[in-house]
Amino acid sequence: MRRRTVELAVVLVAAMGVEAREASLRAREPIYCAPVRVEVAGMGTSGGTRVPPLQTKGGAPAPATAESDFVVKDFRFRDGESLAELRLHYRTLGKPARDAAGRVTNAVMILHGTGGSGAQFLAPQFAGELFGAGQLLDTAKYYIILPDGIGHGKSSKPSDGLHAKFPQYDYDDMVAAQHGLLEHLGVEHLRLILGTSMGCMHAFVWGETYPEFMDALMPLACQPVQIAGRNRVWRKMVMDAIRNDPEWKGGEYATEPRQSLRTALDLLLIAGSAPLQMQKTLPTRDAADKYLDEYFAARMPGLDANDLLYAVNASRNYDPSAGLEKIHARVMYVNSADDFINPPELGIAEREIRRVAGAKFVVIPISDATHGHGTHTWAAVWKAYLAELLAVK
């Protein structure tokens, strides 16, 4: 009974205001704020390892992808905990180009969202739009680095064996590990950091922590302030569902606590959904029911409660708002109007991004091409803004 009450509450919250907002945002005019430009354009999701093979348009051969592990000995987390060996898995496409001094000049790092991995960027809707010959991040031109964040993909995570004794990592720890990976790869400077959802938040942390390390930042689908309001509520509900499940057993379960994972997936589905897209693709009760059955069948296998709990909890102290003026890189910051997690009516993004010199913020209005929060992974919707960002030398 308790679980169904939670689900109903979330569905009701998701429905509140959606219809009115869709109508108004379709007709919205561009908005400009000095010293940054804020506009409404004319016009994700998490992956794991089950992603379609890399494809490019026109049937061209897919760029080769290399995978490896970077292992840090005695990695110390910000709260003082340590791990004897921290493994950071990563993928690369293309090859590093070097200047006369031997410095890498063409490196791009792309950062995934909560529960995802670098593998998700090999899906056609992302890689097929960006990585092919003549495309914006052509791997013949760029050296693309796709790390799996701490606690995600094939990187070190609670389910490796430490369970709830795994260090309580946060976004600063994840960014520090990414920085260590780049040093390991001999990359002292990045042409671009592009991040989606959690990776969007990492991009802001990167811009403040290592302000001279990159030329450009492209954060997609987040806010540059601490996680609060509805965003915090659904995260807290996911964590509470797991922690309050007797089958979780303090993180030392022998079998997955399926009831709490089912509730968590309910919440994740609502938070990441787009009403227009779902109505278009699931126009009948039977279609919606079939989709839900398939969703759980696909997502439940391989899902680990501790990994999910840690991944969501990593956002607990995220708050770049105090240091936004430290960002020196060019910023192209993009959200979508049908994002349940980062709705534009909050006005937070427009207000805060003014503090980043020369930054541009774009709201992509609702359309048949947007996918709610997951719009961040459909590169066709926003790649014109990436082209604009990369055109500036």
Side-chain angles (χ1 to χ4, degrees):
M1 182 67 181
R2 181 178 180 277
R3 172 178 172 270
R4 300 315 306 173
T5 302
V6 168
E7 291 176 354
L8 179 59
V10 174
V11 171
L12 291 173
V13 169
M16 289 171 58
V18 167
E19 293 182 4
R21 181 154 56 96
E22 286 197 11
S24 64
L25 288 170
R26 283 174 178 272
R28 223 171 137 185
E29 294 297 325
I31 304 171
Y32 296 91
C33 300
V36 299
R37 290 177 291 157
V38 181
E39 68 180 53
V40 175
M43 289 288 265
T45 32
S46 66
T49 57
R50 295 192 302 276
V51 296
L54 177 56
Q55 301 173 6
T56 55
K57 288 186 173 180
T65 304
E67 294 192 42
S68 190
D69 290 315
F70 165 56
V71 178
V72 185
K73 300 292 186 180
D74 298 317
F75 183 88
R76 186 162 294 277
F77 295 80
R78 192 173 72 154
D79 66 359
E81 291 187 275
S82 63
L83 200 60
E85 286 192 353
L86 175 71
R87 180 183 68 258
L88 209 67
H89 189 77
Y90 65 96
R91 297 161 181 82
T92 60
L93 297 91
K95 296 180 179 179
R98 302 181 185 274
D99 61 16
R103 291 184 293 262
V104 176
T105 59
N106 65 336
V108 170
M109 185 166 63
I110 304 177
L111 304 175
H112 63 78
T114 302
S117 76
Q120 71 189 60
F121 300 118
L122 303 180
Q125 66 265 29
F126 194 93
E129 297 287 341
L130 297 177
F131 295 163
Q135 294 178 330
L136 290 173
L137 297 178
D138 184 345
T139 56
K141 179 180 178 183
Y142 288 101
Y143 179 45
I144 311 294
I145 303 164
L146 309 175
D148 292 352
I150 297 173
H152 291 71
K154 298 179 183 179
S155 292
S156 294
K157 51 187 178 292
S159 61
D160 290 342
L162 287 178
H163 306 152
K165 296 181 180 66
F166 193 86
Q168 293 284 341
Y169 64 87
D170 63 15
Y171 287 176
D172 291 302
D173 295 319
M174 299 176 84
V175 166
Q178 293 158 5
H179 183 262
L181 169 63
L182 295 177
E183 290 183 322
H184 167 72
L185 294 173
V187 174
E188 300 176 357
H189 192 82
L190 290 164
R191 179 78 176 89
L192 167 72
I193 294 178
L194 185 152
T196 65
S197 191
M198 177 181 71
C200 174
M201 292 182 273
H202 287 180
F204 281 112
V205 175
W206 260 97
E208 294 183 4
T209 309
Y210 307 102
E212 307 301 331
F213 203 97
M214 73 295 296
D215 293 331
L217 293 168
M218 190 163 183
L220 294 141
C222 72
Q223 302 284 2
V225 297
Q226 68 175 265
I227 292 174
R230 186 166 67 186
N231 196 350
R232 173 59 183 175
V233 167
W234 75 261
R235 291 170 186 268
K236 182 69 162 54
M237 292 171 77
V238 168
M239 293 188 289
D240 286 351
I242 295 172
R243 287 170 173 156
N244 294 333
D245 187 339
E247 296 305 311
W248 180 59
K249 298 179 180 178
E252 296 302 322
Y253 45 87
T255 58
E256 292 293 337
R258 292 184 61 83
Q259 189 63 44
S260 59
L261 285 181
R262 171 89 185 204
T263 299
L265 287 175
D266 288 342
L267 292 160
L268 290 167
L269 177 59
I270 292 297
S273 65
L276 181 62
Q277 191 67 231
M278 293 190 81
Q279 186 64 37
K280 183 179 71 171
T281 57
L282 308 172
T284 66
R285 287 189 300 273
D286 289 346
D289 290 351
K290 182 173 183 290
Y291 168 80
L292 196 60
D293 290 342
E294 292 173 348
Y295 167 78
F296 288 118
R299 294 296 300 271
M300 286 292 283
L303 187 62
D304 182 84
N306 284 330
D307 289 349
L308 178 58
L309 176 62
Y310 270 70
V312 175
N313 192 41
S315 66
R316 63 191 177 277
N317 50 17
Y318 166 77
D319 187 3
S321 60
L324 291 173
E325 287 85 359
K326 297 177 183 177
I327 297 176
H328 298 165
R330 298 186 307 279
V331 176
M332 178 68 73
Y333 171 27
V334 180
N335 282 349
S336 54
D338 54 357
D339 187 342
F340 175 91
I341 300 173
N342 305 293
E345 60 265 33
L346 299 179
I348 294 171
E350 291 94 329
R351 181 189 72 224
E352 296 298 323
I353 201 62
R354 289 185 176 95
R355 298 166 50 201
V356 180
K360 180 175 179 179
F361 173 61
V362 178
V363 176
I364 301 174
I366 299 166
S367 75
D368 288 343
T370 56
H371 291 75
H373 186 65
T375 300
H376 57 60
T377 314
W378 293 80
V381 182
W382 45 259
K383 66 181 181 180
Y385 298 101
L386 175 58
E388 182 179 335
L389 181 63
L390 292 174
V392 180
K393 302 298 182 183

